[in-house]
Amino acid sequence: QVQLQESGPGLVKPSETLSLTCTVSGYSISSGYYWGWIRQPPGKGLEWIGSIYHSGSTYYNPSLKSRVTISVDTSKNQISLKLSSVTAADTAVYYCAGKQSVTVDYWGQGTLVTVSS
Amino acid sequence: QPVLTQSSSASASLGSSVKLTCTLSSGRSTYIIAWHQQQPGKAPRYLMKLEGSGSYNKGSGVPDRFSGSSSGADRYLTISNLQSEDEADYYCETWDSNTWVFGGGTKLTVL
């Protein structure tokens, strides 16, 4: 069974860079699948941030593209997210997700990131 | 990219059935979607993948009470014999040109 676990600081200061890691177990990310980051501001819906294929090809939400970097570390079986120049509007629960083809099959448990000084 | 439209809320009585709708934008009536359930305070959970033909494939452990169907651009999630734990937000999701797209979600209240 594929399991995803997000980790990273729960508090980030405005203008700094948010950095999160997703550790995948039960599946080797170098074998395939698409991996992505999705966020959910308090009381709101789900927003796709971006995704990466095991080969390293990346795709980003146009509204966040200038601030987002997603990468993979196949040696650690991890996917990483960096979001620069954060503001209070970036406060959200951040989820890692994986899919074999069209739609998401697996979700992480999520991690709350608060942007505040 | 496709847009997915969902009603913001729905309600039904304990033990009854409810049918939630997700509508694909024009020209996308053949798209596959997924339904995800998010119980209060929890992460989303994959329920099923649903094709335009109405064929669906449920995730591991999803009760038989959950089923899917399709009609044109509409994709449905039917929950029978509603239980209190079915009170949750339900999101539909699809993919187009390397973009992951989510509907706005439907908040289901079990009366």
Side-chain angles (χ1 to χ4, degrees), chain B residues 10-82:
Chain B
S11 63
S13 299
L14 194 68
S16 69
S17 296
V18 68
K19 191 174 187 178
L20 306 182
T21 304
C22 173
T23 302
L24 286 151
S25 55
S26 178
R28 269 85 174 185
S29 61
T30 61
Y31 278 38
I32 295 170
I33 72 147
W35 283 102
H36 303 280
Q37 176 195 57
Q38 187 176 33
Q39 294 172 321
K42 294 189 176 182
R45 170 197 183 191
Y46 166 71
L47 290 178
M48 68 178 67
K49 195 164 298 185
L50 176 59
E51 298 182 15
S53 64
S55 173
Y56 60 94
N57 187 2
K58 292 196 294 188
S60 175
V62 176
D64 292 341
R65 304 184 291 104
F66 290 81
S67 62
S69 59
S70 298
S71 177
D74 291 331
R75 304 286 183 268
Y76 305 106
L77 173 68
T78 299
I79 311 172
S80 305
N81 187 22
L82 271 170

Side-chain angles (χ1 to χ4, degrees), chain A residues 103, chain B residues 1-7 21-26 28 31-36 73 75 91-95 100-105:
Chain A
T103 56
Chain B
Q1 69 192 50
V3 172
L4 298 172
T5 302
Q6 300 181 253
S7 298
T21 304
C22 173
T23 302
L24 286 151
S25 55
S26 178
R28 269 85 174 185
Y31 278 38
I32 295 170
I33 72 147
W35 283 102
H36 303 280
R75 304 286 183 268
Y91 293 92
C92 56
E93 176 236 340
T94 192
W95 175 88
W100 302 16
V101 181
F102 291 92

Side-chain angles (χ1 to χ4, degrees), chain A residues 40 95 99 102-104 107, chain B residues 36 38 49 93 95 98:
Chain A
Q40 185 173 37
Y95 296 102
K99 63 177 187 175
V102 178
T103 56
V104 171
W107 293 87
Chain B
H36 303 280
Q38 187 176 33
K49 195 164 298 185
E93 176 236 340
W95 175 88
N98 294 310

